[in-house]
Amino acid sequence: MGHTRLGYLPRSRKWREVIGLIAAGAGADQIANAIICAAETGLMASAHHPGLVEAFWSLTQLTQAARETDFAAGLRARGFNVPDNPSLPAILSAVSQNVDRAMPNNKGRTDLGEMAQTAAVEVTNQLVTQRASSLFGATAQDVQRAFRDLGTEKNFGDLGKQFFGQLTNKVLQFYASRECANHVGQGQRFANLAAKAAFDQAMNTHCRQASVIVQKFAGDWQSKQNWKNKDTGGITRKHAEGFAHQAMKKMVAELKEGNK
């Protein structure tokens, strides 16, 4: 997955505590909490990663472009390389391309950049498909209406919540997978791969539940920023970076609080 930008933990005391919890059979919430404590500095720094900023900024721009009469032109004006009457796969491909280009010195993907890119694509695909008839059967007008619907204060809040929940889960799994693979087998923490998959799902659920803290914040922020910057070009990447920092701060605090 490219160069690691999240930092290595195995030599730290806090990481040894994570290993001990995994070996002792601790629950996903306890392990998530321990990883958060061990990786907090890296997680907070990740909010400023260009791949993450580009991915979240893209979400703000897709929903705004959908409000324009010519959706394709609105997307192109915001830097998305899409054809006329763009399909959802074409739009998601354009988002991925932009995240790749946002990498430092245009050197391609990093671990965190790829996680942010994947989270944005997965969440957008899910939410737009729910609102359109299907992924491949939806018309360009269906796709535009779906993105426009995601731009409301309430629905953008849900979009932000799901994006940061998905991203945080990917980051935690990135760390946990290094050690969990050593604890699969008879007499181990995970008796088999099915037990490991159940643990992964529990970790995902834990992150989704914690991401509720971002929901109202995201909706309020998007509505306020669109109004404040309506005459100056709308939400910028700098605005998106500031939001990402605050959202990650809330996620970290919520995950740490949730296991007390």
Side-chain angles (χ1 to χ4, degrees):
M1 286 173 58
H3 298 293
T4 300
R5 303 287 183 182
L6 292 171
Y8 290 98
L9 300 177
R11 295 181 181 177
S12 72
R13 176 182 60 79
K14 289 183 177 180
W15 180 248
R16 290 196 296 272
E17 292 175 2
V18 173
I19 294 173
L21 286 170
I22 292 172
D29 54 346
Q30 290 178 284
I31 293 171
N33 176 270
I35 294 173
I36 284 290
C37 291
E40 183 173 357
T41 300
L43 280 168
M44 291 310 305
S46 74
H48 304 283
H49 187 283
L52 191 160
V53 173
E54 186 71 22
F56 180 70
W57 179 80
S58 294
L59 300 183
T60 71
Q61 300 308 296
L62 297 176
T63 57
Q64 287 305 298
R67 295 177 176 271
E68 300 183 11
T69 302
D70 190 333
F71 186 31
L75 289 169
R76 291 183 196 126
R78 291 165 171 83
F80 299 100
N81 183 19
V82 296
D84 293 335
N85 300 314
S87 64
L88 179 55
I91 294 169
L92 296 180
S93 176
V95 170
S96 294
Q97 291 169 12
N98 284 3
V99 174
D100 281 344
R101 282 195 293 268
M103 292 300 101
N105 301 317
N106 197 27
K107 288 185 178 179
R109 298 180 178 182
T110 63
D111 290 322
L112 185 63
E114 185 166 342
M115 290 178 204
Q117 179 192 76
T118 305
V121 168
E122 289 174 352
V123 167
T124 304
N125 182 27
Q126 177 187 357
L127 293 177
V128 172
T129 301
Q130 287 174 356
R131 288 166 169 77
S133 56
S134 70
L135 177 59
F136 294 102
T139 66
Q141 291 73 30
D142 292 332
V143 172
Q144 181 175 359
R145 279 193 295 270
F147 274 110
R148 187 188 302 127
D149 185 47
L150 284 175
T152 67
E153 184 173 326
K154 177 180 180 298
N155 290 335
F156 190 85
D158 188 46
L159 179 61
K161 173 181 77 73
Q162 295 206 37
F163 172 71
F164 279 95
Q166 188 90 312
L167 175 62
T168 303
N169 177 59
K170 289 180 183 297
V171 172
L172 295 188
Q173 295 286 3
F174 172 85
Y175 286 123
S177 63
R178 301 182 184 187
E179 183 60 25
C180 285
N182 299 323
H183 298 271
V184 178
Q186 188 174 2
Q188 300 291 316
R189 166 65 171 85
F190 308 105
N192 48 46
L193 291 177
K196 172 61 170 56
F199 171 84
D200 291 344
Q201 184 56 48
M203 182 85 81
N204 185 30
T205 299
H206 186 62
C207 291
R208 286 204 318 270
Q209 291 171 343
S211 69
V212 171
I213 194 70
V214 176
Q215 188 168 21
K216 188 176 188 302
F217 176 51
D220 290 347
W221 174 85
Q222 185 241 26
S223 179
K224 180 179 179 180
Q225 292 299 324
N226 281 333
W227 181 81
K228 280 178 59 178
N229 300 290
K230 60 184 177 181
D231 299 322
T232 56
I235 295 172
T236 66
R237 290 174 177 83
K238 193 67 177 177
H239 296 141
E241 181 179 357
F243 175 86
H245 176 78
Q246 292 301 318
M248 190 61 75
K249 185 176 180 180
K250 287 177 179 291
M251 283 292 299
V252 168
E254 185 70 7
L255 285 164
K256 290 170 71 176
E257 180 70 22
N259 196 44
K260 289 183 178 179

